[in-house]
Amino acid sequence: MNGWTFEGQPSALGGAAVTLVEGSSFCVSDRNGDIVPGGAQGVYHADTRLLCRWELRVDEAPIEPLQVLPAEPYHALFLSRTRPRPGRAESSLLVLRDRYVGGGLREDITLRNLSDEAAGCVVELHVASDVADLFEVKTDRVHHVPDIDVTTSPDGVRIYSMSRGRGVAVLAAGVLAVPGLLTFRVVVPARGEWLAAVHVNPIIEEEESQAWFATLERAEPAVRRADWERQVPEVVTSDAFLTQAVRAAREDLGSLRLFEAEYPEDPPSIAAGAPWFMTLFGRDSLLASWFALTLDRSLALGTLRRLARLQGTRVNPLTEEEPGKILHELRFGVATPTSPLSGNAYYGSVDATPLFVMLLGELRRWGLHRQEVEELLPPADAALAWIENYGGEDEFLWYCRKTDQGLIHQGWKDSFDGVNFADGTLARPPIALAEVQGYVYSAYIARGHFAHEAGDTATERRCKERAQRIRAAFNERFWLPNRGYYAIGLDRSGVPIDSLASNMGHCLWTGIVAPERARIVADHLMSDAMFSGFGVRTLSTDMAAYNPMSYHNGSVWPHDNAIVAGGLMRYGFVAESQRVITAVLDAAKAFGGRLPELYCGFDRRDFPVPVPYPTSCSPQAWAAATPIHMLRTLLRFDPWVPYRKLWIDPALPEGFGALSVIGLRIAGTRVDIEVGEEGVARITGLPEGIEIMREARSPISAMVVNA
């Protein structure tokens, strides 16, 4: 890996890893709570690994895991036992590690003596920090830091690197500390307990800050979590598992929220996912917050505001910043050979900028106040100006990295081999991606509606005409008449990249596909070559680059399928959309209710359960939000608050039973939606003057015909 380029896959965490998440902090450990050196496990904060070793020993022996009891996304209880005490055949010491992650870590270690004799023990915590940057760990290229200084004091140990300006303090009362080791000499009473609270505090630029759970009473993450649970709607279905999956989505989205200390009044944005993407991403955060609108509009507003503050203002080839461009990724680590641009915003994304405008338009349809819209219209106009000034000379939006430090591919399939021809040849930038042209088309449609609402006829006409030109050019140059589908993109010579991929499902979602071609596009997406039984693959099985165990060339991504299902429903392919949705929800069931970032694309007829992808992130924002968006698709729920209308015409698959959404926020109030066994929706609490439309095709669907 060089700079921001992506030439491989992240380090695997292992199927038994336990991940706890809160904001930009997370912890990955074994099931007994230990963090074992040599891999990707650790305690992370501000894109820095604070701890690379955290191993508990009782009388010099490791502890045996029994169970992990998750409580909240940031909190879990690890149950283990020690080896048998002298003269006993069975263990009589239970070990409880009550762990809270956030701004560092707090761990309450309890030894519970189940025997009728006091136990004398030596409890040791082996502690180490490599002060590694997240990118180093992710790519398995951790560099030795020669100036790591370890100091001890009566309350613990501090580890710090002056060259990186980062470190960690590990503190506890009653501890004997030497470099790399904290020791407690204890007596655990018969039928009694011994307890020690250990705090892991980050040190950034010589300043030590307390972990957020230093005191458990009224800890800020817990307060925010309780507020989130009170505010978001409750989704209940007749299917107990589906209800569980939606609740898991709520939980994961709540844990991935990002709060800015500098803007305490702003709603949160959302991180892309754990463990490697616990930061703001343009594309991921925009789509995840879009998917989550049925739960919480504030995530979308917070994401838009934060991205607007970070919007490009100058030309910088190293970070690929340009005026009006929306960033790809924000990082907080130190500069390293692996990640020389850490600490900066990186802008190498071609799709985040039009998605910014699209999401603003969607928020307005949901009833975002005019004042909040007007605040974000200048950034939206700057985004469209970037498309026009930097996107390319024709009607299309192209990408090509500015230096060899950047990402080769800058759409959502951003691995080095993610864009290829049918014969397996890698496409070379500049590239115009199919789905990106759909995003740009939809962005101009959204901006045109803002202009219409404001009575700005000149801007409305300009946006509508631009959208029509993009759509016409797309359907002329991307369509492959001899194959009957849309190319994934155009290469540097303008030649269509002729692989059959899921990207054209995004084109259905945005409405750029000509209606007369929609049927054949849907048939390709639902063919045996594309549909695995657990979702639509990223690449068809008859393409030369197909590999069901690859990252982007044959795997199944839940968020990709949420968009495909929405596109199928938009063009009226109800049964096909239902089939995609039920397949992905079946996969969620196999994964215990939590959808991972992706899974392998093997056929369901070969393997009756989805095969995990080893380095998949979980929880991951747009995967977590996928069940929420899929339920909205099945409800065929399209608010159009500025026009005082709301379209709803449920199309629940057979067997879904009844469905309720209680406390949905829209148009400044809360409403309840109930769909009975007969499939008819009843809405209560809707503000006076908003008309409920029960036709299947809303104005959003009508854009397919009329730009």
Side-chain angles (χ1 to χ4, degrees):
M1 180 155 177
N2 182 20
W4 296 90
T5 59
F6 187 68
E7 298 170 353
Q9 295 307 317
S11 300
L13 299 174
V18 177
T19 302
L20 301 179
V21 177
E22 172 56 36
S24 60
S25 302
F26 63 96
C27 172
V28 183
S29 71
D30 279 346
R31 291 187 61 79
N32 69 350
D34 280 351
I35 293 169
V36 181
Q41 295 182 359
V43 174
Y44 295 80
H45 178 69
D47 287 347
T48 302
R49 181 156 65 179
L50 302 180
L51 292 176
C52 63
R53 187 182 187 191
W54 185 254
E55 293 184 271
L56 184 66
R57 299 286 184 265
V58 178
D59 293 334
E60 299 184 342
I63 57 178
E64 180 185 0
L66 297 174
Q67 185 60 278
V68 181
L69 303 177
E72 291 85 20
Y74 52 77
H75 175 208
L77 180 64
F78 298 82
L79 301 182
S80 302
R81 67 179 184 175
T82 67
R83 288 183 179 177
R85 305 300 297 164
R88 293 183 179 269
E90 295 285 352
S91 173
S92 57
L93 272 183
L94 179 68
V95 182
L96 298 89
R97 305 174 76 172
D98 202 11
R99 179 172 297 171
Y100 294 81
V101 172
L105 179 142
R106 173 189 173 129
E107 182 160 299
D108 294 342
I109 302 170
T110 302
L111 296 189
R112 184 174 295 170
N113 187 355
L114 305 178
S115 78
D116 56 4
E117 185 178 15
C121 304
V122 177
V123 179
E124 298 173 327
L125 261 178
H126 293 263
V127 177
S129 173
D130 52 9
V131 200
D133 182 80
L134 181 70
F135 272 77
E136 293 180 320
V137 183
K138 177 182 173 184
T139 56
D140 197 21
R141 299 183 186 181
V142 176
H143 293 263
H144 173 67
V145 181
D147 70 338
I148 291 180
D149 183 46
V150 182
T151 59
T152 61
S153 64
D155 63 346
V157 61
R158 287 171 173 79
I159 307 169
Y160 188 74
S161 165
M162 187 65 72
S163 64
R164 295 198 166 186
R166 306 271 166 132
V168 63
V170 183
L171 311 173
V175 68
L176 174 64
V178 297
L181 185 66
L182 302 181
T183 302
F184 303 87
R185 297 185 181 276
V186 303
V187 175
V188 188
R191 309 294 182 187
E193 292 184 342
W194 168 84
L195 170 68
V198 187
H199 299 265
V200 177
N201 296 335
I203 305 173
I204 308 295
E205 304 301 338
E206 301 186 7
E207 286 196 21
E208 179 182 332
S209 59
Q210 277 195 337
W212 299 332
F213 287 96
T215 57
L216 298 181
E217 295 78 14
R218 302 295 294 172
E220 188 174 344
V223 172
R224 291 197 299 241
R225 182 76 185 174
D227 288 343
W228 162 263
E229 291 293 341
R230 283 193 299 269
Q231 291 172 13
V232 298
E234 181 75 15
V235 180
V236 181
T237 74
S238 300
D239 186 319
F241 167 74
L242 184 57
T243 301
Q244 176 192 358
V246 172
R247 285 177 179 163
R250 281 171 36 133
E251 185 173 278
D252 286 346
L253 290 170
S255 71
L256 294 170
R257 293 177 300 158
L258 298 172
F259 294 85
E260 281 193 280
E262 298 88 348
Y263 298 91
E265 301 304 317
D266 262 14
S269 55
I270 191 164
W276 307 119
F277 309 112
M278 291 304 298
T279 186
L280 181 71
F281 270 68
R283 172 195 316 118
D284 299 52
S285 298
L286 287 164
L287 284 174
S289 58
W290 184 314
F291 287 6
L293 282 171
T294 311
L295 279 187
D296 185 8
R297 292 184 323 175
S298 72
L299 288 176
L301 179 58
T303 296
L304 287 170
R305 283 181 174 173
R306 192 171 186 194
L307 289 172
R309 286 194 290 270
L310 295 163
Q311 190 170 26
T313 59
R314 61 194 178 110
V315 174
N316 182 347
L318 276 178
T319 63
E320 306 208 36
E321 179 182 359
E322 290 166 336
K325 196 175 185 181
I326 299 298
L327 65 79
H328 168 65
E329 177 178 0
L330 189 65
R331 286 296 179 183
F332 300 96
V334 295
T336 68
T338 303
S339 177
L341 302 178
S342 286
N344 295 315
Y346 173 60
Y347 291 80
S349 164
V350 71
D351 46 12
T353 306
L355 284 168
F356 179 94
V357 185
M358 285 177 63
L359 179 58
L360 182 61
E362 182 72 2
L363 258 187
R364 181 61 183 138
R365 283 195 284 271
W366 276 74
L368 186 68
H369 293 158
R370 186 185 293 271
Q371 179 181 346
E372 293 167 317
V373 170
E374 290 175 352
E375 165 199 331
L376 289 165
L377 269 183
D381 287 337
L384 294 178
W386 173 79
I387 292 170
E388 295 170 10
N389 295 331
Y390 294 91
E393 295 181 358
D394 53 16
E395 298 291 349
F396 300 136
L397 176 56
W398 300 71
Y399 69 82
C400 183
R401 64 180 181 176
K402 303 302 185 291
T403 74
D404 59 3
Q405 297 287 308
L407 287 166
I408 296 173
H409 292 298
Q410 300 191 350
W412 84 264
K413 295 178 180 177
D414 57 2
S415 50
F416 80 99
D417 60 350
V419 183
N420 47 73
F421 287 85
D423 65 2
T425 303
L426 298 182
R428 298 180 62 190
I431 289 173
L433 290 172
E435 75 274 17
V436 172
Q437 313 319 312
Y439 300 159
V440 175
Y441 164 78
S442 190
Y444 277 100
I445 292 289
R447 183 63 182 92
H449 280 290
F450 284 129
H452 177 81
E453 191 178 341
D456 182 356
T457 55
T459 299
E460 181 185 6
R461 182 173 61 253
R462 181 179 67 82
C463 290
K464 182 176 181 179
E465 290 173 354
R466 173 88 182 201
Q468 290 173 333
R469 291 197 305 270
I470 292 168
R471 192 173 191 221
F474 170 82
N475 280 281
E476 178 184 349
R477 293 186 58 189
F478 280 74
W479 181 249
L480 303 172
N482 58 327
R483 294 178 179 264
Y485 57 79
Y486 288 94
I488 191 176
L490 307 178
D491 77 351
R492 63 194 305 166
S493 301
V495 174
I497 305 166
D498 59 351
S499 56
L500 174 56
S502 62
N503 302 55
M504 62 185 179
H506 295 230
C507 298
L508 290 174
W509 184 59
T510 58
I512 199 172
V513 171
E516 65 273 14
R517 293 172 178 164
R519 175 76 267 175
I520 192 170
V521 168
D523 288 345
H524 275 296
L525 290 169
M526 302 309 300
S527 67
D528 288 345
M530 286 294 291
F531 187 72
S532 74
F534 287 115
V536 175
R537 299 180 177 96
T538 49
L539 189 69
S540 172
T541 59
D542 51 10
M543 298 293 105
Y546 170 72
N547 176 0
M549 298 184 295
S550 72
Y551 199 55
H552 286 133
N553 289 322
S555 53
V556 175
W557 288 63
H559 93 278
D560 189 32
N561 277 262
I563 290 174
V564 170
L568 290 167
M569 191 69 81
R570 177 174 186 164
Y571 279 77
F573 302 117
V574 176
E576 292 82 353
S577 180
Q578 291 173 333
R579 190 178 174 205
V580 171
I581 290 171
T582 54
V584 173
L585 292 178
D586 284 349
K589 189 171 187 177
F591 286 115
R594 172 188 276 176
L595 282 167
E597 177 187 17
L598 72 155
Y599 42 91
C600 294
F602 294 108
D603 199 282
R604 189 169 183 169
R605 291 168 294 191
D606 296 330
F607 303 107
V609 294
V611 177
Y613 185 82
T615 63
S616 180
C617 288
S618 185
Q620 209 260 3
W622 59 17
T626 286
I628 307 299
H629 190 64
M630 285 182 162
L631 283 181
R632 177 189 169 186
T633 297
L634 292 174
L635 286 172
R636 294 196 283 196
F637 181 81
D638 283 326
W640 204 286
V641 173
Y643 296 95
R644 311 299 291 170
K645 295 182 186 296
L646 186 151
W647 273 259
I648 185 166
D649 184 31
L652 302 184
E654 188 176 349
F656 261 52
L659 168 67
S660 298
V661 182
I662 303 165
L664 171 65
R665 289 181 177 271
I666 188 167
T669 189
R670 286 178 176 268
V671 303
D672 297 341
I673 300 174
E674 293 185 16
V675 183
E677 298 278 355
E678 74 286 357
V680 177
R682 290 175 289 276
I683 303 180
T684 56
L686 200 62
E688 213 173 305
I690 294 185
E691 182 181 5
I692 298 176
M693 313 295 290
R694 300 193 183 275
E695 297 89 347
R697 299 182 73 81
S698 74
I700 298 175
S701 299
M703 288 181 204
V704 170
V705 181
N706 298 307

